[in-house]
């Protein structure tokens, strides 16, 4: 932390939900005040000393910033909200996760691209910007098995659709499509059990994981799936950490799946993950405290490195 400033952190959260509350408590245990801030109330103000308006930080910038959530909005609103995070980084404020990582992870297509580019196993993926383009992909690929249509910016299992033929594709104007089709090879379940795995990575380490078991192929907790304890294998740890590294995130929830082929594959990287289900199956681990402690340790190391660089000038 900066020695010249009282250590106060901006906790960007759409609302003070249970996760935000746990983080505030975790930081408080280390003598740090985490101030909840709604990004939709922030603004560029060029006549301010640092050029930004952040409620609660009018006099000085936060020592660091932790992003718990970004509220939905128009393209313009979201652009400005992410721009605030970009601006903080440019001003030297450590941000978890920063705007670049969030933008990458929110965009499932870019996440798939980077994971594949890193040589990591992931289901074959295609995008099309028209129904005709999506139909061409579907007609070519569905003879080998079904595909999954996902909203490019969706989360919590909403808007997923199984595509067995081109006739299953929705029209371009339907909700969640917006003229963009993100299609991924459907992974057939092993042993007829609908499950995938969530691995939580913080500061380059896979700290915990859970199995998500559902009654259908959609295994998100918010869609009714149940969380079960999971003993992470070295393969799971390695894949999750490497996926997070590929996206540039500091902390993330990584979704893995193992199908009939026996190969573990990467599905998604969530840069603003919830951990309620994970906490339920890891009672001996205080996830919020671990996140806060790792965050503070990284911020402290960055501050020390910056001080050394300034002294050497």
């Amino acid at each position: 932390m900066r020695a010249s400033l009282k250590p106060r952190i901006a906790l960007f959260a759409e609302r003070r939900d249970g996760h935000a509350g746990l983080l505030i408590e975790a930081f408080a245990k280390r003598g740090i005040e985490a101030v909840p801030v709604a990004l939709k109330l922030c603004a560029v103000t060029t006549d301010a000393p640092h050029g930004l308006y952040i409620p609660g930080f009018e006099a000085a910038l936060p020592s660091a910033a932790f992003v718990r959530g970004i509220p939905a909005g128009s393209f313009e609103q979201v652009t400005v909200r992410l721009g605030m995070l970009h601006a903080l980084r440019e001003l030297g404020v450590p941000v978890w996760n920063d705007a670049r990582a969030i933008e990458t992870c929110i965009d499932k297509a870019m996440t798939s691209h980077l994971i594949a580019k890193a040589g990591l196993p992931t289901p074959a993926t295609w995008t099309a910007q028209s129904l005709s383009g999506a139909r061409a992909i579907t007609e070519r690929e569905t003879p080998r098995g079904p595909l999954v249509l996902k909203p490019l910016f969706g989360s919590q299992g909403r808007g997923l659709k199984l595509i067995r033929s081109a006739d299953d594709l929705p029209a371009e104007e339907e909700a969640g499509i917006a003229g963009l089709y993100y299609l991924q090879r459907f992974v057939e379940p092993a042993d007829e059990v609908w499950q995938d795995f969530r691995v939580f990575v913080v500061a380059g380490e896979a700290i915990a994981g859970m199995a998500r078991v559902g009654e259908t192929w959609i295994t998100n907790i918010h869609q009714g799936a149940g969380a079960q304890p999971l003993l992470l294998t070295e393969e799971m740890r390695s894949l999750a950490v490497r996926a997070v590294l590929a996206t540039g995130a500091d902390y993330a929830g990584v979704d893995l799946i193992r199908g009939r082929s026996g190969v573990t594959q990467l599905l998604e990287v969530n840069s603003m993950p919830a951990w309620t289900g994970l906490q339920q199956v890891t009672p001996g681990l205080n996830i919020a405290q671990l996140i806060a402690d790792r965050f503070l340790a990284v911020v402290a190391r960055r501050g020390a490195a910056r001080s050394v660089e300034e002294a050497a000038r």
Side-chain angles (χ1 to χ4, degrees):
M1 297 295 177
R2 303 174 186 178
S4 61
L5 295 177
K6 179 181 178 181
R8 298 172 72 238
I9 291 173
L11 176 61
F12 290 113
E14 186 174 356
R15 63 186 185 282
R16 183 167 175 165
D17 61 4
H19 291 85
L22 290 171
L23 287 170
I24 291 171
E25 293 175 6
F27 283 119
K29 287 181 180 178
R30 302 297 182 246
I32 305 297
E33 181 185 5
V35 182
V37 179
L39 269 170
K40 62 185 177 183
L41 300 180
C42 299
V44 170
T45 306
T46 58
D47 58 355
H50 45 64
L52 303 175
Y53 170 69
I54 304 174
F57 296 92
E58 291 84 0
L61 287 169
S63 300
F66 190 97
V67 184
R68 172 67 201 118
I70 296 177
S74 67
F75 178 79
E76 290 81 0
Q77 289 173 318
V78 173
T79 296
V80 169
R81 291 163 190 171
L82 288 168
M84 295 294 297
L85 303 182
H86 280 297
L88 284 172
R89 185 194 71 238
E90 294 301 319
L91 289 166
V93 177
V95 182
W96 269 31
N97 283 308
D98 74 15
R100 293 169 298 183
I102 292 172
E103 289 164 351
T104 295
C105 294
I106 287 177
D107 180 351
K108 292 186 180 67
M110 180 53 67
T111 300
S112 293
H113 167 71
L114 292 175
I115 288 174
K117 182 173 179 289
L120 301 174
T122 188
T125 301
W126 305 267
T127 62
Q129 297 188 49
S130 67
L131 177 57
S132 61
R135 289 186 67 89
I137 293 168
T138 303
E139 290 168 355
R140 183 186 72 233
E141 297 298 332
T142 51
R144 306 179 195 178
L147 307 178
V148 178
L149 176 66
K150 301 181 178 181
L152 188 69
F153 303 134
S155 62
Q156 299 179 341
R158 293 188 289 261
L160 302 181
K161 185 173 183 179
L162 196 61
I163 305 297
R164 298 186 183 278
S165 73
D167 292 338
D168 293 330
L169 291 167
E172 293 180 22
E173 62 271 15
E174 285 195 24
I177 298 300
L180 193 287
Y181 296 82
Y182 172 85
L183 295 157
Q184 194 168 68
R185 176 71 65 197
F186 177 66
V187 179
E188 298 284 351
D191 304 320
E192 304 302 325
V193 176
W194 300 109
Q195 72 170 352
D196 64 5
F197 313 105
R198 163 61 63 90
V199 181
F200 212 91
V201 176
V202 183
E205 181 182 352
I207 64 168
M210 66 177 174
R212 302 185 298 192
V213 182
E215 296 183 357
T216 72
W217 64 275
I218 301 177
T219 54
N220 297 77
I221 299 296
H222 283 80
Q223 300 298 325
Q228 294 184 3
L230 174 67
L231 180 61
L232 290 175
T233 66
E234 285 305 312
E235 178 191 39
M236 290 177 172
R237 293 179 185 275
S238 176
L239 287 175
V241 169
R242 291 166 67 192
V244 172
L245 179 63
T247 62
D250 294 292
Y251 81 106
V254 181
D255 293 342
L256 306 171
I257 193 167
R258 186 183 298 125
R260 292 179 183 175
S261 67
V263 176
T264 302
Q265 300 186 76
L266 290 153
L267 293 176
E268 296 180 15
V269 179
N270 188 327
S271 62
M272 293 175 284
W275 61 85
T276 302
L278 181 61
Q279 186 65 80
Q280 291 173 352
V281 297
T282 54
L285 186 69
N286 186 329
I287 295 174
Q289 192 65 61
L290 197 154
I291 293 171
D293 289 348
R294 299 271 174 110
F295 173 70
L296 293 174
V298 169
V299 170
R301 286 198 297 271
R302 290 179 183 174
R306 186 165 55 247
S307 297
V308 171
E309 291 175 359
E310 292 174 351
R313 291 173 183 171

